[in-house]
């Protein structure tokens, strides 16, 4: 950042291209897209979700067929009357359909959520279980009023165009791979005598079947296969992104249920965070200030024993040494207590978050560029959480990142406080590796906030904490 010197080719440069050429990065990305893990997972997701999504058409076709069959079996197509047996049987069949649709849609929704979690790594919470009640009548009424079940049924219908796109992405990948093989097997199976004429061989492409009758024509099929394989990851990404959006909105819990779940989780996190803070405070007092105070009491007791009964001092040097040790212990205990107080609520926060962060930046071992633009001051609880987030991130950068520069951007817009800490270090920050990021995410979630981590191997690292201005 801000360095000078001769430029060297970057890792994203395509061989043969000029350094810094704007086409180099996108071209390399397009060439690598089909073989990345994400692209393969998205293609596998489309290969499964496409046929599964289109299978609902079988049910749409089968249900009217079952009704027609029931009508034929009971009335032979006669006009139904109240006395005719086809009317109640038709109503019974309709009721069965109304019960089976939400029941079956709920179970299919669980399958779709499981596929998203397994193949795309996004876990979407399911709706709360259906409260059926006691007795057949209550069970039937609860099933007919099952909102998540009917939303799942609507998803299966709305998903049909997306399923077509997913199936198309899988077709592009599979047919493209098949088209790549034409130049290799053609000499083995089309080695007939010159006087024999064989029919052309078809190759599937997005624009129809390409018929090949000669060996040079197989290279056109090869080119089509390469193009199809390069395009398939992007089609799969668009289709899977649309499907995930639908699944989040229609197969997850409703807004009210999700809000209740979020509040329950935030309450549990707040209780855990408070208990952890109390345990940490007790441990720090026991291991720090309590030790200094115990040493102080012991030194004062020993000094008192050195005094004679009449107040005389037989060994003034020994008493003076004990009193000096007691004085140092008292100052150390005071310093420890002040440190504990700063850990609970830093005094610099009384002047606002900007001054507190400036103090942190001034004490950092790495050069820090700080910018704070917060028109409306947050509440004290939010300022405290933001302060400790920045302090923890600065400590992590100093310990693990090998960074030479850190940027801190604090902005306030609408009702949100955004804290962004970025560095030019080695990257690879992972909450699962015990770097303190998991605790930060938990502390931010207590106030219904969100922590976003972008730290690819090799850097740079950018961590953004989004907090409400009012807790």
């Amino acid at each position: 950042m801000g360095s000078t010197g001769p430029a060297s080719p970057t890792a994203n440069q395509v061989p043969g291209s000029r350094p810094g050429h704007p086409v180099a990065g996108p071209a390399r990305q397009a060439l690598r897209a089909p073989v990345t893990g994400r692209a393969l997972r998205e293609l596998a997701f489309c290969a499964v979700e496409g046929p599964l999504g289109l299978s609902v058409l079988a049910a749409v076709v089968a249900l009217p067929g079952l009704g027609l069959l029931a009508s034929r079996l009971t009335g032979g197509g006669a006009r139904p009357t109240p006395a005719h047996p086809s009317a109640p049987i038709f109503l019974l069949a309709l009721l069965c359909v109304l019960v089976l649709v939400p029941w079956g849609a709920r179970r299919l929704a669980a399958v779709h959520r499981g596929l998203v979690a397994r193949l795309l790594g996004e876990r979407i919470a399911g709706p709360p279980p259906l409260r059926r009640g006691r007795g057949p009548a209550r069970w039937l009424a609860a099933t007919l009023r099952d909102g998540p079940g009917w939303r799942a049924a609507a998803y299966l219908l709305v998903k049909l165009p997306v399923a077509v796109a997913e199936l198309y992405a899988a077709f592009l990948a599979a047919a493209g791979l098949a088209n790549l093989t034409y130049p290799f097997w053609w000499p083995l199976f089309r080695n007939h005598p010159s006087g024999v004429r064989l029919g052309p061989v078809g190759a599937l492409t997005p624009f129809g079947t390409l018929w090949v009758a000669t060996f040079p024509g197989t290279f056109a099929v090869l080119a089509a296969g390469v193009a199809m394989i390069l395009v398939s990851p992007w089609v799969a990404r668009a289709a899977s992104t649309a499907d995930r959006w639908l699944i989040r909105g229609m197969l997850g819990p409703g807004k009210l249920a999700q809000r209740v779940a979020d509040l329950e989780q935030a309450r549990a996190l707040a209780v855990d965070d408070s208990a952890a803070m109390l345990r940490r405070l007790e441990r720090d007092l026991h291991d720090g200030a309590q030790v200094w105070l115990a040493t102080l009491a012991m030194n004062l007791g020993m000094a008192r024993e050195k005094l004679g009964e009449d107040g005389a001092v037989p060994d003034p040097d020994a008493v003076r040494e004990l009193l000096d040790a007691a004085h140092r212990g008292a100052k150390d205990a005071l310093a420890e207590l002040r440190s504990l107080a700063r850990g609970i609520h830093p005094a610099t926060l009384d002047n606002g978050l900007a001054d507190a962060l400036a103090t942190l930046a001034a004490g950092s071992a790495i050069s820090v560029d700080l910018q704070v633009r917060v028109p409306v001051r947050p509440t004290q609880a939010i300022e405290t959480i933001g302060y400790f987030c920045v302090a923890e991130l600065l400590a992590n950068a100093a310990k693990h990142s090998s960074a030479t520069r850190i940027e801190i951007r604090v902005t306030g817009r609408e009702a949100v406080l955004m804290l962004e800490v970025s560095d030019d270090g080695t990257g690879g920050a992972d909450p699962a590796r015990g770097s303190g990021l998991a605790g930060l995410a938990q502390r931010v979630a207590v106030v219904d906030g969100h922590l976003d981590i972008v730290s690819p191997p090799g850097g740079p690292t950018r961590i953004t904490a989004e907090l409400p201005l009012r807790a």
Side-chain angles (χ1 to χ4, degrees):
M1 301 177 63
S3 61
T4 60
S8 59
T10 62
N12 291 331
Q13 182 180 336
V14 176
S17 64
R18 297 190 307 274
H21 195 277
V23 182
R28 183 178 179 88
Q29 186 177 6
L31 291 175
R32 292 185 57 188
V35 294
T36 60
R38 176 182 176 182
L40 295 177
R41 289 192 299 270
E42 289 172 343
L43 282 171
F45 177 79
C46 291
V48 178
E49 279 285 342
L52 184 62
L54 292 179
S55 64
V56 73
L57 290 175
V60 173
V61 173
L63 291 179
L66 291 176
L68 181 61
L69 179 61
S71 176
R72 292 291 184 183
L73 291 176
T74 56
R79 182 182 296 274
T81 62
H84 201 279
S86 65
I89 292 180
F90 176 78
L91 293 177
L92 180 61
L94 179 62
L95 183 61
C96 291
V97 169
L98 293 177
V99 171
L100 288 175
V101 166
W103 179 84
R106 258 186 179 263
R107 279 142 187 84
L108 281 176
V111 174
H112 289 290
R113 287 193 300 269
L115 288 172
V116 170
R118 182 175 294 273
L119 295 176
L120 302 183
E122 180 176 353
R123 300 191 176 275
I124 300 175
L130 179 64
R131 298 181 179 179
R132 302 184 181 278
R134 295 182 179 180
R138 291 185 178 181
W139 177 85
L140 181 61
T143 303
L144 293 176
R145 294 196 304 265
D146 182 15
W150 288 110
R151 282 204 314 272
Y155 161 78
L156 296 176
L157 294 177
V158 174
K159 176 191 167 66
L160 289 176
V162 179
V164 172
E166 290 170 338
L167 199 60
Y168 184 67
F171 157 76
L172 287 176
L177 286 174
N179 291 342
L180 292 181
T181 65
Y182 273 63
F184 301 99
W185 60 258
W186 188 276
L188 300 176
F189 296 97
R190 305 286 287 190
N191 53 359
H192 52 280
S194 58
V196 179
R197 291 183 59 86
L198 298 178
V201 179
L204 297 177
T205 68
F207 305 103
T209 304
L210 180 62
W211 297 100
V212 183
T214 61
F215 178 68
T218 60
F219 291 98
V221 178
L222 175 67
V226 171
M228 292 166 67
I229 289 177
L230 291 178
V231 171
S232 62
W234 306 105
V235 178
R237 183 162 302 176
S240 60
T241 301
D243 203 356
R244 276 192 293 182
W245 181 76
L246 288 175
I247 291 175
R248 282 194 296 264
M250 303 185 73
L251 299 188
K255 292 183 178 180
L256 180 59
Q258 183 64 45
R259 183 58 180 164
V260 171
D262 291 342
L263 291 176
E264 290 177 348
Q265 182 182 13
R267 182 184 63 183
L269 290 175
V271 172
D272 294 342
D273 186 65
S274 176
M277 182 178 294
L278 289 176
R279 288 194 300 268
R280 184 170 62 251
L281 180 62
E282 188 274 335
R283 183 180 66 249
D284 292 341
L285 286 172
H286 181 273
D287 297 340
Q290 182 176 333
V291 173
W292 293 114
L293 292 175
T295 304
L296 170 64
M298 184 178 64
N299 289 328
L300 290 176
M302 294 173 63
R304 185 177 60 181
E305 291 177 358
K306 295 288 184 181
L307 296 176
E309 295 181 356
D310 56 352
V313 183
D315 190 357
D317 293 336
V319 173
R320 185 178 296 105
E321 182 179 353
L322 290 172
L323 290 177
D324 289 341
H327 184 248
R328 289 194 301 270
K331 291 196 294 183
D332 291 337
L334 284 174
E336 185 72 22
L337 290 174
R338 288 195 186 99
S339 177
L340 289 176
R342 284 195 300 269
I344 298 173
H345 180 76
T348 54
L349 277 176
D350 294 338
N351 298 326
L353 185 60
D355 291 346
L357 295 182
T359 303
L360 277 179
S364 174
I366 304 174
S367 176
V368 176
D369 179 15
L370 174 65
Q371 294 183 11
V372 180
R373 295 187 181 90
V374 184
V376 180
R377 183 173 180 177
T379 59
Q380 290 185 357
I382 297 300
E383 285 186 335
T384 302
I385 293 175
Y387 174 86
F388 284 114
C389 282
V390 175
E392 180 70 23
L393 293 175
L394 287 177
N396 283 346
K399 291 179 182 177
H400 309 293
S401 71
S402 302
T404 60
R405 185 175 179 82
I406 299 175
E407 294 183 357
I408 302 175
R409 302 287 182 267
V410 183
T411 58
R413 57 175 183 269
E414 297 180 355
V416 177
L417 177 68
M418 301 290 294
L419 297 99
E420 181 181 303
V421 179
S422 57
D423 63 64
D424 59 352
T426 56
D430 186 1
R433 295 192 302 190
S435 59
L437 295 177
L440 280 185
Q442 178 175 336
R443 176 172 288 190
V444 169
V446 166
V447 291
D448 208 13
H450 177 69
L451 189 71
D452 182 57
I453 302 171
V454 179
S455 182
T461 296
R462 185 179 72 253
I463 301 178
T464 304
E466 182 177 331
L467 300 169
L469 286 175
R470 299 287 181 267

